[in-house]
């Protein structure tokens, strides 16, 4: 969902096999009832996604199609870091799908300083980035400090320019 939204998708639809078919026969067998599926980790993840984007001027974000922000550790395919920035450089949001370092060209942001925070997409909590705020005059290496609340390594990095 994060890769889609940060890459320019108009929205995101989350589905869950037991919910799609309620008590009827489904496309695939389901271990959960539809009521149990309403409380699944995937369903909760979508509420966290909305909670994050409700706090941000998401409509101003544009995908970093040229790859100007992520200069090392971008990855490929499903392991690709998806990044979007506002045209004025006030905001950038990145989805890092697996725990690894990424080096960012902070000069792509308005600055001169940038506040940064990690967002746990499975738990909906923010974690500060040590040493922030950072100056925008040089590249900066960011690495998530551990697994998310569900034990995975995907994180969202939010960067906000400060005067």
């Amino acid at each position: 969902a994060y890769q889609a939204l940060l890459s320019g998708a108009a929205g995101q639809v989350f589905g869950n096999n037991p919910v799609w078919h309620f008590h009827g026969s489904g496309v695939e067998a389901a271990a959960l009832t539809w009521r149990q599926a309403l409380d699944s980790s995937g369903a909760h993840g979508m509420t966290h996604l909305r909670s994050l984007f409700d706090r941000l001027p998401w409509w101003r974000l544009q995908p970093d199609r040229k790859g100007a922000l992520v200069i090392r550790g971008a990855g490929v395919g499903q392991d690709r870091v998806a990044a979007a920035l506002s045209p004025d450089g006030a905001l950038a949001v990145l989805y890092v799908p697996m725990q690894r370092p990424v080096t960012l060209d902070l000069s792509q942001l308005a600055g001169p300083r940038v506040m940064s925070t990690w967002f746990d997409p499975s738990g909906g909590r923010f974690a500060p980035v040590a040493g922030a705020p950072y100056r925008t005059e040089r590249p900066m290496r960011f690495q998530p400090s551990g697994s998310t609340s569900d034990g995975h390594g995907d994180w969202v990095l939010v960067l906000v320019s400060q005067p």
Side-chain angles (χ1 to χ4, degrees):
Y2 290 91
Q3 284 176 327
L5 293 177
L6 295 172
S7 296
Q12 169 66 26
V13 176
F14 171 77
N16 200 315
N17 186 45
V19 175
W20 294 336
H21 304 286
F22 294 95
H23 291 296
S25 61
V27 176
E28 298 177 20
L32 302 173
T33 68
W34 69 268
R35 284 189 170 93
Q36 292 169 321
L38 290 175
D39 198 37
S40 70
S41 61
H44 285 284
M46 293 299 101
T47 63
H48 301 318
L49 178 138
R50 177 167 181 186
S51 174
L52 172 63
F53 281 94
D54 276 352
R55 298 172 188 211
L56 303 171
W58 56 266
W59 57 92
R60 300 186 63 226
L61 293 172
Q62 297 177 0
D64 182 21
R65 289 190 179 98
K66 294 180 182 177
L69 182 60
V70 182
I71 56 177
R72 277 192 287 291
V76 295
Q78 290 188 358
D79 292 333
R80 176 185 60 86
V81 173
L85 299 96
S86 61
D88 63 359
L91 173 68
V93 181
L94 297 89
Y95 176 68
V96 182
M98 56 188 303
Q99 192 172 342
R100 68 167 178 268
V102 292
T103 302
L104 308 180
D105 178 2
L106 295 183
S107 71
Q108 299 298 313
L109 295 155
R113 295 178 301 152
V114 174
M115 281 303 298
S116 54
T117 187
W118 289 106
F119 179 74
D120 174 353
S122 60
R125 291 182 206 87
F126 288 92
V129 176
Y134 297 107
R135 305 234 10 114
T136 58
E137 26 194 66
R138 62 183 178 90
M140 181 62 61
R141 183 178 182 263
F142 292 85
Q143 179 159 356
S145 62
S147 298
T148 54
S149 58
D150 68 355
H152 292 102
D154 61 325
W155 287 89
V156 177
L157 182 61
V158 179
L159 304 167
V160 179
S161 288
Q162 292 190 322

